[in-house]
Amino acid sequence: MKKIAVITSGGDAPGMNAAIRAVTLKALHEGCQVFGVKKGYQGLITGEIVELTSFAVSEILHRGGTILFSTRCPEFKTEEGMKKAKKQLERLGIDGLVVIGGDGSFRGAMDLSKMGFAVVGIPATIDNDIGGTELSLGFDTAVNTALDAINKIRDTAISHERVYVIEVMGRNAEFIALYAGLAGAADAILIPEVEPDLDEVVFRVKNATAKGRGHSIVVVAEGLFGNPMSGRNTAESSAFKVGNYVMEKTGKDTRITILGHLQRGGSPSATDRILGTRFGAKAVEQLLSGDTEKMLGWNKNEITVAPLQEGIGKRNVLDLSLLSLADLLAVT
Ligand code: ADP
Ligand code: F6P
């Protein structure tokens, strides 16, 4: 294999650049020519494919987002779109593709694999919901970003003795809410996995007040009521529903903060830089060994290799005992 391409697709995630850099440098080291597909599968269809040199990937390790841009591209799901993509890959003689993205991107990768292209998937999404890996690229940074915001909100919540309902991203997944809520000592964490008990939230807010603490922090997953509004700040957002109920029942001054897309950006944490770097290098090794139609994962402190199907058919499962622990500490 002499020509390898790398693509970022779906929602961007901090650490994607680390993976792009590692793919490029490792593949160049192995004597390959490396290409970057711009704008996700849309760029594969339109042929926005550029050669990547070591210079092109210098000074990107610390940057959030993806230098290759990313899109959601419905056309790629069609037969016509796939044909166009195939043509572009054949035009440049690309034999192997590293797909950095979530389960949707992996579905696209699977289609390419069925058409005869060698593919390896790198799981990347702040939602951390991809099957086959305990950790997806970007999750660690997003949790720390959400935590930083919770810490800052806590300062003003304490000063004004208010209730803050903070909505975090995750689409239908609950990882950011649980991890940031646990790390941020939230009084209540509401996630889609568990039927929301708003009266219990009211009880905890009143309980905190009765014990002499005027403020409360409630962390809500955006997908709590099944319809994530993706930080679009509408009255339909989960946080508004929870916040309005709590305000009405407690009579306490309540503020709502939707963290939204700020959780998708920012300089990647050391964990995401190292994970992206290791994923990138391993993806090239997989392509060169010919062991493809695989996804990489991080499981039990090791880089793992599994069938691409794992990332599509399964979902990363949350350890609900963490929620029980958070609840126990919150009511004691
Ligand atoms: P993520 O990869 O983060 O899950 P999306 O679900 O938006 O993000 O998927 C990213 C892109 O992958 C889509 O815009 C589309 O181009 C491609 N894709 C998604 N689902 C499929 C599918 N079933 N078949 C082929 N391509 C798909
Ligand atoms: O999948 C990542 C994610 O940030 C979700 O947490 C969120 O629901 C969604 O993407 C937002 O999508 P968009 O950027 O298209 O609004």
Side-chain angles (χ1 to χ4, degrees):
M1 184 176 294
K2 284 278 176 259
K3 291 187 179 186
I4 286 178
V6 56
I7 184 170
T8 50
S9 164
D12 64 351
M16 280 183 161
N17 282 329
I20 294 168
R21 173 178 176 268
V23 167
T24 305
L25 297 180
K26 172 77 175 170
L28 289 173
H29 177 77
E30 298 295 339
C32 301
Q33 195 178 6
V34 191
F35 294 91
V37 180
K38 289 190 160 182
K39 303 179 188 172
Y41 290 128
Q42 187 183 306
L44 206 53
I45 288 173
T46 56
E48 287 181 83
I49 302 170
V50 294
E51 186 163 357
L52 293 177
T53 60
S54 58
F55 180 74
V57 297
S58 63
E59 304 308 326
I60 67 167
L61 181 57
H62 62 291
R63 284 168 55 191
T66 158
I67 59 158
L68 291 176
F69 304 93
S70 191
T71 53
R72 304 197 199 270
C73 172
E75 190 188 351
F76 191 70
K77 295 188 196 174
T78 67
E79 206 177 312
E80 200 52 35
M82 286 296 299
K83 272 189 198 154
K84 288 184 192 166
K86 182 170 184 267
K87 251 190 203 160
Q88 296 294 352
L89 287 171
E90 285 170 351
R91 176 176 68 83
L92 291 165
I94 292 167
D95 341 76
L97 192 64
V98 178
V99 176
I100 307 171
D103 62 325
S105 304
F106 283 9
R107 280 176 213 278
M110 184 64 96
D111 289 350
L112 287 169
S113 178
K114 298 280 172 265
M115 284 168 64
F117 294 103
V119 295
V120 174
I122 292 180
T125 169
I126 64 163
D127 302 342
N128 205 37
D129 56 350
I130 306 174
T133 183
E134 289 167 8
L135 197 57
S136 291
L137 203 50
F139 172 65
D140 182 71
T141 306
V143 168
N144 281 295
T145 301
L147 180 59
D148 181 52
I150 291 170
N151 291 339
K152 287 173 175 154
I153 288 168
R154 179 179 289 281
D155 289 344
T156 181
I158 293 170
S159 307
H160 288 268
E161 300 194 298
R162 283 175 176 157
V163 178
Y164 272 84
V165 177
I166 304 168
E167 181 177 304
V168 298
M169 271 191 169
R171 205 178 291 218
N172 299 309
E174 55 296 310
F175 282 88
I176 298 179
L178 182 55
Y179 280 66
L182 186 57
D187 294 280
I189 303 168
L190 302 179
I191 58 176
E193 239 58 12
V194 179
E195 184 70 26
D197 182 351
L198 298 189
D199 290 323
E200 172 64 19
V201 178
V202 168
F203 165 76
R204 289 190 196 177
V205 169
K206 286 183 175 169
N207 192 34
T209 311
K211 285 182 175 168
R213 176 158 61 82
H215 68 280
S216 292
I217 301 286
V218 179
V219 173
V220 176
E222 65 172 352
L224 182 64
F225 298 110
N227 179 26
M229 299 309 292
S230 307
R232 291 189 184 103
N233 239 322
T234 78
E236 293 304 309
S237 296
S238 301
F240 281 97
K241 292 185 185 168
V242 175
N244 288 340
Y245 190 85
V246 170
M247 183 149 63
E248 192 191 311
K249 299 283 178 185
T250 63
K252 283 197 69 104
D253 201 7
T254 302
R255 294 288 189 273
I256 287 152
T257 305
I258 295 175
L259 299 185
H261 286 84
L262 77 82
Q263 296 159 97
R264 280 246 295 268
S267 183
S269 64
T271 294
D272 278 327
R273 292 183 199 196
I274 294 166
L275 192 63
T277 299
R278 295 183 68 176
F279 274 158
K282 182 70 179 171
V284 173
E285 280 173 22
Q286 285 301 124
L287 284 180
L288 295 181
S289 73
D291 182 21
T292 60
E293 204 174 288
K294 293 288 184 330
M295 69 166 282
L296 304 182
W298 179 255
N299 293 296
K300 298 190 173 60
N301 276 326
E302 268 181 19
I303 300 282
T304 53
V305 180
L308 194 54
Q309 196 62 45
E310 289 249 326
I312 297 169
K314 288 190 191 161
R315 208 168 171 257
N316 191 17
V317 180
L318 187 76
D319 178 359
L320 278 179
S321 73
L322 291 180
L323 181 63
S324 308
L325 176 60
D327 283 338
L328 178 128
L329 300 183
V331 295
T332 307

